[in-house]
Amino acid sequence: MSIQYKSISQLRAMIDAKSISSEELVKETLKIADSLKELNCFVTMNKDEGIEKAIEMDGTNTSNSLLKGIPLAQKDLFCTEGLRTTCSSKILADFVPPYTATAVEKLENAGSITIGKTNMDEFAMGSSNETSFFGNVHNPWKKGYVPGGSSGGSAAAVAAGIVPAATGTDTGGSIRQPAAHCGITGIKPTYGRVSRWGMIAFASSLDQAGPMARTAEDCAIMLNEMCSHDTKDTTSLDEEIPDFTSDLSTSIKGLKIGIVKEFDLSMLDTNVVKVFEESKKHYESLGAEFVEISLPNISLSVPTYYVVAPAECSSNLSRFDGVKFGRRCEDPKNLEDLYIRTRSEGFGDEVKRRILIGSYVLSAGFYDAYYKKAQQVRRLIKNDFDSAFEKVDVIMSPTTRGAAFGAGSKGDDPIQMYLEDLFTIPANLAGLPALSIPNGMEDNKPIGLQLIGNFLQESKLLQVAHNFQISTDWHLKRPDGEIN
Ligand code: GLN
């Protein structure tokens, strides 16, 4: 029986029934990955070590995690000891970390097997996976279209059925937007739920890791292992971690879903609006109730983000100077030449653009007008959400304005690209959990539905998503036209 497109739960059942061993599963996974090389999902494979670990898992009873023996892919932004970690940048093209990120370590300690590192936008800056030094990732659903970004390699690897789940990170939408464009499920947890230790930082106050999988149920299984309180990350939350799978099937009768008055649906493709209205009807049939809410400052989210994120990126990326990490230019004449050429040669255009914007908004004379002001607006946006969550349990919107766009079609206009994250950025600014599930199709390209939850309410979000998925089949559709 083919293992392609199988969920974690299905693979678990196969391993438990001894119809497949983890070794066979990993070998088959690597074969599928090889046959789909043209998608360019992976930067580095972990072949021999992956098979070795699978053999070890077949012969041990040390873990009773649902992930034991299951192959996973890791976004190439998580440090992995002894396994190249590039952030899809030339400057880190040969970087082999001496330690493993907490989130990945926890998944691996549960017995899962890292089969490779996935391609992404360089340093997680982008929405199309076109800024990678290692080339574009292709959307498995339609030739010539982007998979979204920045976690485009992870999204495409799951959508193409290579792995049942993968890790992603989301600073302004990088789990949810590619999940939407690739027809899979992805959740960005509450800021601080998953340790950032060992994640190469883009914008530290916004970055959050999370799972990408075919179903909400599989995301819950992944989250159970990924979340932790980690003293190595000072922003890690010391909060109780529930079993995210336990409420999945609880009915959502009486659930109050907020619809944001200020989200202007005329900015959306007509099919996205149509599909959104259909999903509302579906939730009504499940017993949910819709309530209009107001987030008065929401329209300031994208401009606020594009001050805060570049500011933090310019500071975080200053460590890549050719001295300690990664690539160094050839024959530097002096220290200044070393810095200038290492960074000029090592970073791509989008990363340079962000560093320039960030340095500008943080510079003396502009700090108050831009950075401080952006932080103040960010607080107002957070306050808007606090008031809204007094009235509703979750907030619903489309994940993106349209389905996946053509490769190269937004390349010349960074603003158009930045607007891709119109609906996803607010949750990052407010530190709230949010997910995307597939809820429709346009011309064989998936469309996504976003649900935003209150602080620490991942279980609620997953419950609302799971209720949708057990009564619809959008998440079961496959790029090859079959249905799981
Ligand atoms: N597309 C957004 C950006 O380029 C978000 C990226 C992300 O979430 N990592 O900044």
Side-chain angles (χ1 to χ4, degrees), residues 168-480:
T169 64
D170 191 311
T171 305
S174 280
I175 287 177
R176 291 160 285 157
Q177 186 257 14
H181 286 345
C182 287
I184 63 163
T185 305
I187 178 165
K188 176 199 95 70
T190 305
Y191 180 78
R193 262 292 198 208
V194 177
S195 169
R196 287 187 298 110
W197 197 76
M199 259 169 68
I200 297 174
F202 160 15
S204 311
S205 76
L206 300 158
D207 297 343
Q208 181 58 202
M212 307 175 81
R214 300 187 69 79
T215 63
E217 184 186 11
D218 280 0
C219 282
I221 293 170
M222 290 281 284
L223 258 196
N224 274 353
E225 303 296 350
M226 290 175 78
C227 295
S228 66
H229 171 55
D230 185 2
T231 49
K232 289 184 284 201
D233 169 4
T234 51
T235 57
S236 166
L237 292 172
D238 189 4
E239 295 283 346
E240 196 192 322
I241 297 162
D243 174 355
F244 294 104
T245 61
S246 60
D247 286 338
L248 286 173
S249 304
T250 309
S251 156
I252 56 163
K253 215 168 172 26
L255 180 90
K256 288 203 169 68
I257 304 181
I259 298 292
V260 185
K261 188 171 97 186
E262 289 81 6
F263 279 154
D264 179 5
L265 296 190
S266 70
M267 286 184 75
L268 304 176
D269 288 358
T270 43
N271 275 322
V272 173
V273 179
K274 187 173 143 258
V275 159
F276 184 64
E277 294 303 332
E278 282 165 10
S279 299
K280 274 172 74 178
K281 282 209 190 83
H282 187 75
Y283 269 117
E284 257 161 8
S285 75
L286 297 177
E289 192 186 308
F290 284 91
V291 179
E292 188 178 81
I293 53 155
S294 174
L295 299 172
N297 296 290
I298 202 80
S299 66
L300 302 173
S301 298
V302 174
T304 302
Y305 174 88
Y306 278 99
V307 173
V308 174
E312 294 183 14
C313 125
S314 73
S315 163
N316 276 324
L317 270 58
S318 63
R319 75 188 58 153
F320 303 109
D321 57 6
V323 178
K324 277 200 192 128
F325 305 97
R327 192 177 180 279
R328 177 179 296 176
C329 69
E330 305 245 328
D331 300 324
K333 285 200 289 290
N334 53 38
L335 188 62
E336 197 177 344
D337 185 47
L338 167 89
Y339 289 155
I340 292 175
R341 280 204 291 123
T342 296
R343 289 167 68 81
S344 306
E345 293 165 11
F347 291 134
D349 288 348
E350 185 58 31
V351 172
K352 286 179 189 159
R353 182 168 16 240
R354 307 278 178 115
I355 293 174
L356 285 174
I357 298 171
S359 307
Y360 180 79
V361 299
L362 287 175
S363 58
F366 296 109
Y367 181 93
D368 282 359
Y370 293 106
Y371 188 68
K372 195 169 156 205
K373 182 63 74 189
Q375 292 292 20
Q376 289 165 336
V377 176
R378 184 174 181 182
R379 168 56 62 177
L380 295 178
I381 293 168
K382 167 85 172 73
N383 292 348
D384 287 353
F385 275 109
D386 287 347
S387 313
F389 280 118
E390 285 171 13
K391 300 190 199 86
V392 295
D393 301 301
V394 297
I395 296 171
M396 194 169 113
S397 78
T399 308
T400 56
R401 292 192 297 162
F405 49 93
S409 66
K410 295 193 186 190
D412 299 338
D413 187 351
I415 305 286
Q416 278 311 310
M417 193 68 93
Y418 295 172
L419 285 173
E420 260 296 291
D421 299 315
L422 191 66
F423 296 122
T424 50
I425 280 175
N428 298 79
L429 290 171
L432 297 170
L435 60 71
S436 178
I437 49 174
N439 72 327
M441 211 64 125
E442 175 196 72
D443 191 20
N444 204 37
K445 288 177 294 170
I447 292 174
L449 179 72
Q450 176 177 240
L451 295 159
I452 304 175
N454 204 353
F455 194 63
L456 298 175
Q457 299 279 301
E458 292 84 3
S459 294
K460 170 71 62 189
L461 286 181
L462 291 162
Q463 175 200 353
V464 179
H466 183 71
N467 269 266
F468 189 83
Q469 294 187 330
I470 50 179
S471 52
T472 59
D473 63 3
W474 297 111
H475 61 295
L476 300 176
K477 293 197 188 301
R478 303 178 355 188
D480 61 3

Side-chain angles (χ1 to χ4, degrees), residues 70-81:
I70 302 283
L72 300 176
Q74 315 291 356
K75 186 175 182 178
D76 205 18
L77 166 155
F78 293 92
C79 284
T80 42
E81 186 183 340

